[in-house]
Amino acid sequence: MAFKFIAILLLEIITFATLVWGENGLAIKSIQSEDGDVIDCIDIFKQPALYHPALKNHKIQMTPSYNTIMETTKTNDQEKSYKCVTTQIWHKSGSCPKGTIPIRRTQNIKKDQIKKSNFFHLDKGLKIKKDINLIQKNHSMAILLTEGYRYVGGKTDMITRNPHVEEDDEYSTSKLTLKSGSYYNYQDIESGWMVNPRVYGDRQTRLFTYWTNDGSRETGCFDLTCPGFVQISHEIALGAAIYPISTQYGLPYSITIYIYKDFNTSNWWLQYGGSINIGYWPSKIFEGGLEVHAETVQWGGEVYSKNVGKHPHTKTQMGSGAFPFYIFASTGFMKYMRILDNTMELRFPQNVVAYSEEYDCYRTQYVGDYIEEPEFHFGGPGRNPLCP
C-alpha cells in the first residue's frame, strides 16, 4: 500500500509539472505550433520518466546497443509513391536543440484524462492459446496477430488517416502492439497514430505511445504524461500532430513504427520513420512478461466507445471510415509487417490470423497470396445499416 501511495503521489507531482512546464522556467525553449500546440524543449535529464520509482538513479541509454538497420526493402516506382514522407506540424515553427527533448504541453487536459485505465474497463473476453487478451469491454478491434514464439520486436508501415470520432470520450487508432501476460494482468507497449479528443483536446491525428504493466488497472499512460517512457530524441514530440494526412483521392502518406528489444540492456526501443530512435521503455518498469519478451505481436485498428457492442452503435470510424477493399487501399492499411525473434532477423511471421470483433462495423482483409509483400487492410464506419 505504501508503494502504491508513493507511486500515486509521484504521478500527481509529475502531472503538475507537465501542466506548468512553460511557465516555471523548466523549458529551455518553447515553440508555438500553428495548430495551437506548444512544444516545450526540456533538458533530457529532467524528463518525466526519471520520476518512476523503478528508475531511481537510472542512467539514460543514449543510443541502442546495435545497428537497427537490419533490412533493406526493395523499392520500385510504385512503392515509392506509397511511402510518402510525413512530419509533425510543429516542425514548421522551430526545432529543439540537442540535449533536450520536445514535450507537448498539456495544460488543457485534466489529470483524470491522462491514464488509460481511468476509462478502460475490462470485461470477459476471448483468450487464445497462451491467454493473450483480445476482447475488452467498450473496445472493438480489427487486427492481424501472430503468436507462438518469443518475440523481441515488431515493425510496420501504416497509412495515416483522420477518422471521425463521434464523442469526446471516444478514440480511434492504428497501431503496432507487443503484448504479454494473462487476460486480467497483461502487459503491453504500443505505438502508432490516434485521434483521441479526451487525451489531446482535439480531433487531429497524432503520434502516440502507450504502456501498461497490469492490464491498465493501476499503471500505464499515453506518451510522456506519467513516468515510464525514456525519450532521447530532440526531433519527435510524442502526442504531436502528424502532417500530412492521407485522403481518399490524395497521396498515401505513411509512418514507419518499429519496436524492438535491446539485448544488452533489455530496454524496448521505439524507432520512427526507419531511422529516428525516439526512446525506450526500460525493462525495469515491467515485472516478468515484457521484461523478457512478448508473446504476441498485433497490427491493426481499435475503436474505444461506451457504445461499442450496443444499439445504437457509435459512429466513430476506424481507418478512413470505409470498409477495406485491397485494390484501392482506401482505409486502414499496413504493409512491411515484420517480427523480430531470437534469430535477430526481421521477417514476416510464419502464421498470422486476421480478426475482427464486430465484422459488420469494422472489417479486416489480409492479402498474402500471389503478391510479393503481404498487405493488411482494416476499417469501417461504425454505425451503418449492417451495424445499427
Side-chain angles (χ1 to χ4, degrees):
M1 292 297 293
F3 177 83
K4 181 178 178 181
F5 173 78
I6 293 173
I8 293 174
L9 179 61
L10 285 170
L11 178 59
E12 294 290 331
I13 293 172
I14 198 63
T15 299
F16 174 78
T18 302
L19 298 177
V20 298
W21 258 324
E23 300 174 3
N24 64 4
L26 287 180
I28 295 174
K29 178 181 178 181
S30 294
I31 300 169
Q32 178 68 58
S33 175
E34 67 178 41
D35 65 343
D37 280 358
V38 176
I39 304 298
D40 290 319
C41 306
I42 305 298
D43 188 319
I44 191 172
F45 297 106
K46 295 180 180 179
Q47 63 179 290
L50 303 180
Y51 287 85
H52 193 288
L55 300 181
K56 184 178 181 180
N57 301 321
H58 177 75
K59 183 178 180 181
I60 296 177
Q61 183 182 0
M62 293 300 186
T63 59
S65 298
Y66 54 88
N67 181 16
T68 59
I69 309 300
M70 291 179 285
E71 179 186 78
T72 301
T73 303
K74 295 180 180 179
T75 306
N76 56 31
D77 291 339
Q78 182 178 2
E79 296 302 335
K80 286 179 182 178
S81 66
Y82 153 69
K83 296 193 68 175
C84 298
V85 177
T86 59
T87 183
Q88 293 188 306
I89 294 177
W90 71 275
H91 288 165
K92 299 179 182 180
S93 304
S95 60
C96 284
K98 292 183 179 180
T100 69
I101 62 170
I103 299 182
R104 177 181 177 269
R105 197 181 299 177
T106 56
Q107 70 270 27
N108 295 324
I109 299 175
K110 298 178 180 179
K111 290 184 292 183
D112 66 353
Q113 297 173 341
I114 289 176
K115 285 188 65 181
K116 199 174 184 181
S117 57
N118 280 310
F119 58 102
F120 281 32
H121 303 287
L122 304 184
D123 200 356
K124 293 181 179 179
L126 175 67
K127 304 175 186 178
I128 59 174
K129 295 183 180 179
K130 296 185 178 181
D131 204 26
I132 297 298
N133 171 44
L134 284 181
I135 296 178
Q136 299 175 9
K137 183 179 179 181
N138 300 334
H139 295 247
S140 187
M141 294 195 297
I143 60 173
L144 186 74
L145 70 145
T146 185
E147 62 172 359
Y149 292 88
R150 296 182 177 182
Y151 302 101
V152 291
K155 187 175 183 180
T156 191
D157 289 358
M158 61 182 75
I159 291 290
T160 59
R161 298 289 185 188
N162 185 244
H164 166 71
V165 173
E166 184 175 20
E167 302 291 342
D168 286 347
D169 61 349
E170 301 179 349
Y171 77 73
S172 181
T173 183
S174 173
K175 62 182 180 176
L176 166 69
T177 302
L178 278 73
K179 183 176 290 189
S180 185
S182 64
Y183 174 75
Y184 291 104
N185 200 38
Y186 67 89
Q187 302 172 346
D188 81 2
I189 48 180
E190 54 192 68
S191 184
W193 59 255
M194 170 179 282
V195 178
N196 191 330
R198 186 171 187 180
V199 168
Y200 299 115
D202 59 26
R203 283 170 167 76
Q204 294 192 86
T205 300
R206 297 178 176 272
L207 175 69
F208 87 99
T209 64
Y210 182 79
W211 69 274
T212 181
N213 189 36
D214 59 1
S216 297
R217 294 194 311 274
E218 298 292 339
T219 66
C221 63
F222 293 99
D223 307 330
L224 302 181
T225 52
C226 76
F229 185 86
V230 178
Q231 182 157 340
I232 58 97
S233 172
H234 68 284
E235 301 176 83
I236 300 297
L238 297 176
I242 298 170
Y243 174 84
I245 300 299
S246 306
T247 58
Q248 185 173 2
Y249 300 107
L251 292 173
Y253 294 96
S254 69
I255 62 174
T256 301
I257 298 293
Y258 181 22
I259 299 173
Y260 62 95
K261 191 174 185 66
D262 188 318
F263 283 99
N264 290 337
T265 63
S266 295
N267 298 327
W268 289 93
W269 280 86
L270 172 63
Q271 186 183 94
Y272 176 82
S275 60
I276 300 175
N277 290 299
I278 298 177
Y280 58 89
W281 293 273
S283 63
K284 290 182 179 180
I285 68 175
F286 302 105
E287 299 174 1
L290 286 179
E291 190 175 13
V292 182
H293 62 262
E295 295 178 355
T296 183
V297 181
Q298 301 174 8
W299 303 264
E302 181 180 21
V303 165
Y304 169 83
S305 169
K306 60 183 180 297
N307 293 319
V308 161
K310 296 181 180 179
H311 179 78
H313 195 278
T314 179
K315 293 181 180 178
T316 291
Q317 300 173 341
M318 181 186 295
S320 68
F323 284 126
F325 185 42
Y326 74 94
I327 293 177
F328 299 114
S330 59
T331 188
F333 175 51
M334 291 192 180
K335 202 168 183 177
Y336 303 117
M337 296 161 287
R338 298 290 186 268
I339 57 96
L340 186 67
D341 57 22
N342 290 333
T343 66
M344 292 301 293
E345 181 179 335
L346 272 171
R347 59 183 176 82
F348 188 81
Q350 293 181 350
N351 300 302
V352 292
V353 176
Y355 172 77
S356 175
E357 292 176 348
E358 296 181 296
Y359 180 79
D360 290 333
C361 309
Y362 311 108
R363 297 180 184 175
T364 64
Q365 189 172 54
Y366 171 65
V367 184
D369 295 331
Y370 311 113
I371 60 175
E372 183 177 354
E373 184 64 45
E375 301 175 357
F376 181 56
H377 304 254
F378 58 93
R383 190 191 311 171
N384 69 85
L386 299 176
C387 176

